Amino acid sequence: MIMGFHFKFQKLLEIEKCKEENLVKELQSLQKQLRDEEKLLVFLQSVLTVQQSDMEKELCKQSEARLFVLFESYFSKLNRDIAIQNSKAEDTSKKVGCARENLLHVFKKRKVLEKLRERYEKEYKEHVLKMENKHFDEIAISKFYYRHKKEQLN
Protein backbone atom coordinates (compact mmCIF):
# COMPACT_ATOMS: atom_id res chain seq x y z
CA MET A 1 0.00 0.00 0.00
CA ILE A 2 1.13 3.59 -0.65
CA MET A 3 2.30 5.65 2.32
CA GLY A 4 0.95 9.12 3.11
CA PHE A 5 2.34 12.24 1.50
CA HIS A 6 5.66 13.49 2.87
CA PHE A 7 7.28 16.72 1.68
CA LYS A 8 11.05 16.27 1.78
CA PHE A 9 11.65 20.01 2.31
CA GLN A 10 9.11 20.36 5.15
CA LYS A 11 11.78 21.12 7.75
CA LEU A 12 13.23 23.85 5.53
CA LEU A 13 9.74 25.30 5.06
CA GLU A 14 9.23 25.37 8.83
CA ILE A 15 12.60 27.06 9.31
CA GLU A 16 11.67 29.73 6.76
CA LYS A 17 8.34 30.31 8.52
CA CYS A 18 10.22 30.80 11.83
CA LYS A 19 12.66 33.19 10.16
CA GLU A 20 9.75 35.12 8.71
CA GLU A 21 8.01 35.41 12.09
CA ASN A 22 11.24 36.63 13.72
CA LEU A 23 11.86 39.15 10.94
CA VAL A 24 8.29 40.46 11.23
CA LYS A 25 8.85 41.04 14.95
CA GLU A 26 12.20 42.71 14.27
CA LEU A 27 10.66 44.94 11.59
CA GLN A 28 7.82 45.96 13.90
CA SER A 29 10.33 46.80 16.63
CA LEU A 30 12.46 48.86 14.24
CA GLN A 31 9.39 50.67 12.90
CA LYS A 32 8.37 51.59 16.45
CA GLN A 33 11.91 52.76 17.16
CA LEU A 34 11.84 54.86 13.97
CA ARG A 35 8.52 56.46 14.97
CA ASP A 36 9.97 57.27 18.39
CA GLU A 37 13.14 58.73 16.86
CA GLU A 38 11.08 60.87 14.47
CA LYS A 39 8.80 62.07 17.29
CA LEU A 40 11.81 63.13 19.31
CA LEU A 41 13.27 64.91 16.28
CA VAL A 42 10.02 66.81 15.69
CA PHE A 43 9.89 67.69 19.40
CA LEU A 44 13.45 69.06 19.37
CA GLN A 45 12.73 71.09 16.24
CA SER A 46 9.59 72.55 17.80
CA VAL A 47 11.50 73.41 20.99
CA LEU A 48 14.09 75.21 18.87
CA THR A 49 11.39 77.16 17.03
CA VAL A 50 9.60 78.13 20.25
CA GLN A 51 12.84 79.14 21.95
CA GLN A 52 13.95 81.21 18.97
CA SER A 53 10.70 83.13 19.07
CA ASP A 54 11.09 83.61 22.85
CA MET A 55 14.63 84.90 22.26
CA GLU A 56 13.39 87.43 19.72
CA LYS A 57 10.85 88.71 22.25
CA GLU A 58 13.48 88.93 25.00
CA LEU A 59 15.95 90.70 22.75
CA CYS A 60 13.32 93.33 21.94
CA LYS A 61 12.91 93.99 25.67
CA GLN A 62 16.57 93.97 26.67
CA SER A 63 19.68 94.09 24.65
CA GLU A 64 22.11 92.54 27.15
CA ALA A 65 24.92 90.71 25.42
CA ARG A 66 25.01 88.11 28.20
CA LEU A 67 21.43 87.05 27.41
CA PHE A 68 22.19 86.87 23.70
CA VAL A 69 25.26 84.67 24.34
CA LEU A 70 23.20 82.41 26.61
CA PHE A 71 20.53 81.94 23.92
CA GLU A 72 23.13 81.31 21.23
CA SER A 73 24.87 78.68 23.34
CA TYR A 74 21.50 77.01 24.04
CA PHE A 75 20.59 77.07 20.33
CA SER A 76 23.95 75.57 19.39
CA LYS A 77 23.31 72.70 21.79
CA LEU A 78 19.76 72.24 20.43
CA ASN A 79 21.05 72.24 16.85
CA ARG A 80 23.67 69.61 17.75
CA ASP A 81 20.96 67.52 19.45
CA ILE A 82 18.75 67.87 16.37
CA ALA A 83 21.60 66.82 14.07
CA ILE A 84 22.35 63.80 16.28
CA GLN A 85 18.67 62.86 16.43
CA ASN A 86 18.34 63.29 12.67
CA SER A 87 21.30 60.96 12.21
CA LYS A 88 19.73 58.39 14.56
CA ALA A 89 16.44 58.58 12.64
CA GLU A 90 18.27 58.10 9.33
CA ASP A 91 20.19 55.09 10.70
CA THR A 92 17.00 53.54 12.03
CA SER A 93 15.31 54.20 8.69
CA LYS A 94 18.13 52.32 6.93
CA LYS A 95 17.74 49.45 9.39
CA VAL A 96 13.99 49.36 8.65
CA GLY A 97 14.78 49.20 4.92
CA CYS A 98 17.23 46.33 5.44
CA ALA A 99 14.76 44.47 7.63
CA ARG A 100 12.09 44.88 4.93
CA GLU A 101 14.45 43.51 2.29
CA ASN A 102 15.36 40.53 4.49
CA LEU A 103 11.69 39.87 5.20
CA LEU A 104 10.83 40.07 1.51
CA HIS A 105 13.63 37.62 0.66
CA VAL A 106 12.49 35.11 3.30
CA PHE A 107 8.84 35.59 2.29
CA LYS A 108 9.65 34.81 -1.35
CA LYS A 109 11.68 31.76 -0.35
CA ARG A 110 8.81 30.49 1.82
CA LYS A 111 6.31 31.06 -1.00
CA VAL A 112 8.51 29.09 -3.42
CA LEU A 113 8.71 26.21 -0.94
CA GLU A 114 4.93 26.28 -0.41
CA LYS A 115 4.31 26.20 -4.17
CA LEU A 116 6.77 23.32 -4.47
CA ARG A 117 4.96 21.50 -1.67
CA GLU A 118 1.59 22.05 -3.38
CA ARG A 119 2.98 20.74 -6.67
CA TYR A 120 4.49 17.65 -5.04
CA GLU A 121 1.27 16.99 -3.14
CA LYS A 122 -0.76 17.32 -6.35
CA GLU A 123 1.58 14.92 -8.14
CA TYR A 124 1.37 12.52 -5.19
CA LYS A 125 -2.45 12.59 -5.24
CA GLU A 126 -2.48 12.01 -8.99
CA HIS A 127 -0.10 9.08 -8.55
CA VAL A 128 -2.26 7.60 -5.76
CA LEU A 129 -5.36 7.97 -7.94
CA LYS A 130 -3.61 6.23 -10.87
CA MET A 131 -2.48 3.41 -8.60
CA GLU A 132 -6.00 2.98 -7.19
CA ASN A 133 -7.49 2.99 -10.69
CA LYS A 134 -4.89 0.47 -11.82
CA HIS A 135 -5.67 -1.71 -8.79
CA PHE A 136 -9.43 -1.56 -9.47
CA ASP A 137 -8.81 -2.32 -13.16
CA GLU A 138 -6.77 -5.37 -12.18
CA ILE A 139 -9.55 -6.53 -9.85
CA ALA A 140 -12.15 -6.05 -12.58
CA ILE A 141 -9.99 -7.86 -15.14
CA SER A 142 -9.31 -10.77 -12.80
CA LYS A 143 -13.05 -11.06 -11.91
CA PHE A 144 -13.92 -10.98 -15.58
CA TYR A 145 -11.21 -13.53 -16.35
CA TYR A 146 -12.29 -15.92 -13.56
CA ARG A 147 -15.97 -15.49 -14.41
CA HIS A 148 -15.22 -16.12 -18.07
CA LYS A 149 -13.06 -19.14 -17.20
CA LYS A 150 -15.78 -20.48 -14.88
CA GLU A 151 -18.34 -20.16 -17.68
CA GLN A 152 -16.03 -22.06 -20.02
CA LEU A 153 -15.68 -24.87 -17.51
CA ASN A 154 -19.42 -25.19 -17.08
Side-chain angles (χ1 to χ4, degrees):
M1 196 72 201
I2 297 175
M3 293 178 52
F5 173 73
H6 175 72
F7 182 53
K8 61 185 173 182
F9 299 115
Q10 185 63 37
K11 195 69 177 170
L12 184 59
L13 179 59
E14 290 169 9
I15 289 170
E16 292 302 315
K17 284 180 181 179
C18 278
K19 280 184 188 177
E20 185 176 356
E21 288 171 9
N22 291 337
L23 286 172
V24 164
K25 289 176 187 174
E26 180 186 339
L27 179 61
Q28 289 170 342
S29 171
L30 285 170
Q31 286 173 330
K32 182 189 179 310
Q33 182 182 347
L34 179 60
R35 284 190 303 273
D36 293 345
E37 300 283 353
E38 289 172 341
K39 282 179 188 176
L40 184 55
L41 180 60
V42 167
F43 172 73
L44 288 172
Q45 289 169 336
S46 67
V47 165
L48 179 64
T49 304
V50 167
Q51 292 300 321
Q52 282 176 334
S53 106
D54 285 350
M55 182 191 87
E56 287 173 9
K57 290 176 189 172
E58 283 297 318
L59 287 177
C60 288
K61 293 179 188 173
Q62 318 172 3
S63 56
E64 272 186 48
R66 186 176 63 84
L67 186 62
F68 181 73
V69 170
L70 185 65
F71 271 118
E72 281 306 310
S73 141
Y74 178 64
F75 292 149
S76 292
K77 183 190 179 320
L78 265 178
N79 280 323
R80 280 192 306 273
D81 290 348
I82 287 171
I84 290 168
Q85 192 58 37
N86 195 29
S87 175
K88 285 181 182 179
E90 287 174 1
D91 289 346
T92 305
S93 180
K94 288 176 185 174
K95 288 178 185 176
V96 166
C98 286
R100 276 193 185 121
E101 288 297 318
N102 290 340
L103 180 60
L104 184 62
H105 175 73
V106 169
F107 175 78
K108 286 179 179 178
K109 193 171 179 183
R110 180 184 58 84
K111 281 295 187 187
V112 166
L113 287 169
E114 285 177 346
K115 291 287 184 190
L116 189 61
R117 183 185 196 289
E118 288 172 9
R119 192 177 92 207
Y120 283 178
E121 191 170 16
K122 182 182 174 189
E123 288 173 0
Y124 169 78
K125 287 178 181 178
E126 289 172 355
H127 176 72
V128 167
L129 186 60
K130 281 182 185 178
M131 295 303 288
E132 286 176 353
N133 287 341
K134 183 178 177 184
H135 180 70
F136 290 134
D137 287 348
E138 288 172 356
I139 291 173
I141 289 171
S142 66
K143 280 186 178 181
F144 176 79
Y145 174 76
Y146 287 117
R147 192 178 309 139
H148 186 51
K149 194 170 187 178
K150 188 177 180 184
E151 288 175 4
Q152 283 181 348
L153 292 175
N154 288 337

